[in-house]
Amino acid sequence: MLLQVDPAPAKFSVERVSKTFRRGRVETHALDDMSLSVRQGEFVCLVGPSGCGKSTLLDIMAGLCRPDSGHVLCDGHEAGEAGPDRLVMFQEAALFPWLDVTGNVMFGLKLRPDLTRAQRREIAGHYIGLVGLERFARAHVHELSGGMKQRVALARALAPDPDVLLMDEPLSALDAMTREQLYVDFQRIHAESGKTIILVTHNVREAVCLGDRVVLMSPRPGRIREEFAIPLARPRDVNSPELARYATDITVALKDYMGEDVAE
Amino acid sequence: MKRIAFAIAFFVALLVAWELTVRSGRWSPVILPSPWKVAEYLWSSVLDGSMAEAMWVTLKRLVVGYALGVALGLPVGLLCASSRYVDDTLGALALGFQTLPSVCWIPLALLWFGQTETAMLFVVVMGTLWSVALATSMGARTMPAVYDKVARTMGSRGIHKWTRVILPASLPFLVSGMKQGWAFAWRSLMAAEIYVTILSGFGLGQLLHYGRELNAMEQVIGVMLVIVAIGLMADKALFAPWERFVKLRWGAATQ
């Protein structure tokens, strides 16, 4: 018998996932037979117009919502209920206002009984440093800017060392300057931490700037239409012409699928 | 400094006006005693221990009843927030009882428990419980849904989620609910103490009541001043720190 060895087995995968929402008599077919496989350390961006089910897919991947059919696998095992193996950055930073910056980053760590208090402090301090907020370790949440809040949310999601980091449009509520700075930081942190990251966005340039792969989704029902490998060297500059060329190609493809949707 | 001086000047002026009114002789000193008479009464009540005893009896009832009311109100509120069915039933009941002036519990408490400490405690608990329950439920229900998602992905479930996420997220509501509960409990306890004599303990309300029976107006006013002072101190000691915390952490936007 020939033993076939996959050179890079999937760290995380979604297999044949479908989801339909019912509200009264209205049925929304959010996801149809979706499959996606992500390698260890890969940064994958899901792009699509609003209503293409990308946030639903992210909720399913996080275990916050059950698919009607299909599987979510982490290291080859059924991922099941939400848990610290898959942590999420949401569109809002969703920091807890009753805790300061360190308290927020420690939240997940305090749920790890195997760590000592000193270890938790050290880990929290490390990640607060990684996102560049050493000086704000004791700051209150309402004193932070939008970009700083998302940095704290990133540190909070990284601290418990999840297998996969899921990001649900975490930069869409920020101003352009802050966003560009965070593109630089996300790339650096991805390189340093080697995390497997899945980012959902509707911003094509953002996806090209951050992703090793950009996966295009189309709406009603949500389907994967096309995948683009982005072989550009890192760190990437979101304003570079090469990056713009990739973004243009993807945007054209995206518009095709949307046109198809309108025609239907 | 200037503000403190101004406040002191105001209260001194008030006392002077009071004293002058008494000296004008328009009202009998039985109706309007001078501030000195009131101070004299307060001093003598401190010396003979009657004030300390009354305060001890009243505060014990209040603190025990209030603690019990909060301890019951928090889970009731969380329960109401956790299910629509509980909210439609227990929640509606809580809202009804909260609008009921808590003095109205006194006749029922007397019939059920007789003239006992239990009756007093019951009145205080009823004053506290519903306000706290409603505030808790409101706070928990208005919590942003994304906090729940954060908690679940971090692995926070059950008791941990209730105590470390939902309760603290409700804090701005909780503080005002607990304050309202305190106010209701304090008022209903005073009413109960004035209304009924309980042999097991002679509280501030009873002291006030007997002041009237004896036509001792300086006692009535003196006890009233003590009741006001306790109310102010409770506000400063119990709630001001929490209000400061909420303002500090949530920012000026809330409350």
Side-chain angles (χ1 to χ4, degrees):
Chain A
M1 208 171 97
L2 202 81
L3 203 70
Q4 206 171 355
V5 181
D6 192 340
K11 173 76 183 167
F12 185 74
S13 63
V14 175
E15 288 177 4
R16 311 205 59 180
V17 161
S18 295
K19 178 82 187 170
T20 303
F21 290 108
R22 286 174 195 85
R23 177 169 281 180
R25 285 188 186 175
V26 186
E27 283 199 356
T28 314
H29 200 174
L31 292 174
D32 182 46
D33 201 22
M34 279 217 31
S35 296
L36 178 71
S37 177
V38 182
R39 289 189 309 276
Q40 168 70 45
E42 201 180 10
F43 199 139
V44 172
C45 297
L46 291 168
V47 185
S50 48
C52 72
K54 50 191 194 301
S55 288
T56 306
L57 180 62
L58 199 101
D59 273 1
I60 288 174
M61 292 195 285
L64 291 166
C65 160
R66 262 174 209 284
D68 296 336
S69 61
H71 303 276
V72 178
L73 303 175
C74 199
D75 284 325
H77 301 288
E78 192 76 45
E81 265 282 283
D85 53 336
R86 290 154 288 155
L87 290 178
V88 189
M89 269 182 88
F90 297 95
Q91 188 170 351
E92 322 93 286
L95 302 178
F96 296 149
W98 58 93
L99 301 172
D100 63 11
V101 167
T102 302
N104 271 285
V105 177
M106 298 259 282
F107 185 84
L109 296 173
K110 286 196 172 159
L111 285 152
R112 292 264 310 269
D114 53 316
L115 295 174
T116 65
R117 188 185 281 231
Q119 283 171 317
R120 290 188 187 119
R121 294 221 152 270
E122 197 193 316
I123 296 171
H126 168 75
Y127 284 102
I128 291 169
L130 190 68
V131 298
L133 289 177
E134 302 90 337
R135 283 175 43 232
F136 295 90
R138 285 287 159 206
H140 304 313
V141 167
H142 75 93
E143 296 162 346
L144 304 176
S145 69
M148 287 158 93
K149 283 182 188 163
Q150 281 300 15
R151 285 165 193 271
V152 179
L154 177 61
R156 173 175 69 176
L158 286 171
D161 194 25
D163 290 321
V164 186
L165 181 59
L166 304 166
M167 299 179 162
D168 190 2
E169 305 193 31
L171 304 177
S172 62
L174 304 177
D175 64 87
M177 292 298 288
T178 310
R179 202 156 51 211
E180 290 194 13
Q181 180 55 47
L182 279 164
Y183 293 156
V184 177
D185 293 333
F186 276 18
Q187 291 187 71
R188 173 177 57 80
I189 289 164
H190 177 232
E192 278 177 32
S193 67
K195 278 281 157 237
T196 309
I197 304 181
I198 302 173
L199 170 89
V200 155
T201 179
H202 54 247
N203 185 330
V204 175
R205 266 175 180 264
E206 177 173 308
V208 174
C209 180
L210 296 174
D212 297 315
R213 227 175 349 135
V214 175
V215 176
L216 207 62
M217 289 178 69
S218 73
R220 281 174 289 273
R223 281 195 188 114
I224 290 185
R225 301 309 284 256
E226 216 173 328
E227 279 194 23
F228 298 83
I230 313 292
L232 292 172
R234 293 183 187 275
R236 298 170 187 165
D237 172 9
V238 73
N239 296 313
S240 79
E242 301 95 302
L243 197 147
R245 269 197 293 281
Y246 276 98
T248 311
D249 289 348
I250 296 173
T251 307
V252 167
L254 190 64
K255 278 184 180 158
D256 278 354
Y257 295 126
M258 285 174 74
E260 205 176 90
D261 181 52
V262 172
E264 269 168 15
Chain B
M1 242 359 254
K2 212 170 156 190
R3 281 167 60 192
I4 295 174
F6 189 80
I8 290 174
F10 171 80
F11 286 107
V12 168
L14 206 65
L15 281 175
V16 169
W18 179 3
E19 178 66 23
L20 287 177
T21 318
V22 172
R23 290 209 181 167
S24 75
R26 280 190 68 149
W27 291 280
S28 145
V30 178
I31 301 291
L32 187 68
S34 80
W36 302 114
K37 285 283 263 192
V38 174
E40 230 170 69
Y41 161 73
L42 285 174
W43 183 239
S44 73
S45 73
V46 169
L47 288 184
D48 68 17
S50 63
M51 183 58 74
E53 203 209 316
M55 280 170 70
W56 168 246
V57 167
T58 297
L59 284 176
K60 198 173 69 186
R61 287 170 180 161
L62 187 70
V63 169
V64 173
Y66 183 70
L68 217 60
V70 171
L72 289 171
L74 289 176
V76 168
L78 290 177
L79 213 61
C80 287
S82 66
S83 143
R84 213 168 278 180
Y85 292 102
V86 182
D87 191 43
D88 288 342
T89 49
L90 198 57
L93 205 66
L95 187 63
F97 284 157
Q98 195 245 0
T99 57
L100 180 74
S102 35
V103 189
C104 301
W105 289 105
I106 297 171
L108 185 139
L110 288 176
L111 286 174
W112 278 6
F113 304 108
Q115 283 168 257
T116 60
E117 286 297 320
T118 317
M120 291 285 146
L121 218 56
F122 179 77
V123 171
V124 176
V125 169
M126 284 301 153
T128 314
L129 170 59
W130 309 113
S131 293
V132 172
L134 283 177
T136 311
S137 140
M138 180 62 112
R141 260 180 303 147
T142 49
M143 180 180 89
V146 69
Y147 287 2
D148 185 69
K149 289 185 172 186
V150 171
R152 281 166 63 199
T153 52
M154 290 282 175
S156 164
R157 303 222 148 79
I159 300 283
H160 188 275
K161 192 170 88 177
W162 289 109
T163 55
R164 302 297 165 84
V165 180
I166 298 175
L167 270 186
S170 318
L171 211 55
F173 286 90
L174 217 57
V175 172
S176 53
M178 286 178 70
K179 211 170 161 175
Q180 192 186 41
W182 158 266
F184 285 178
W186 185 223
R187 280 157 181 70
S188 53
L189 179 62
M190 282 304 108
E193 284 191 350
I194 291 171
Y195 196 54
V196 274
T197 304
I198 284 170
L199 294 173
S200 57
F202 208 72
L204 284 170
Q206 277 119 2
L207 213 54
L208 189 66
H209 179 69
Y210 285 101
R212 185 189 72 89
E213 299 264 283
L214 300 170
N215 270 337
M217 201 55 174
E218 68 276 7
Q219 181 173 342
V220 170
I221 294 178
V223 175
M224 281 172 71
L225 287 176
V226 171
I227 293 173
V228 167
I230 289 178
L232 282 177
M233 277 189 305
D235 198 85
K236 288 272 173 282
L238 288 176
F239 303 109
W242 288 104
E243 282 171 328
R244 266 202 303 279
F245 179 81
V246 167
K247 204 166 171 182
L248 190 69
R249 291 299 173 97
W250 269 258
T254 39
Q255 300 212 319

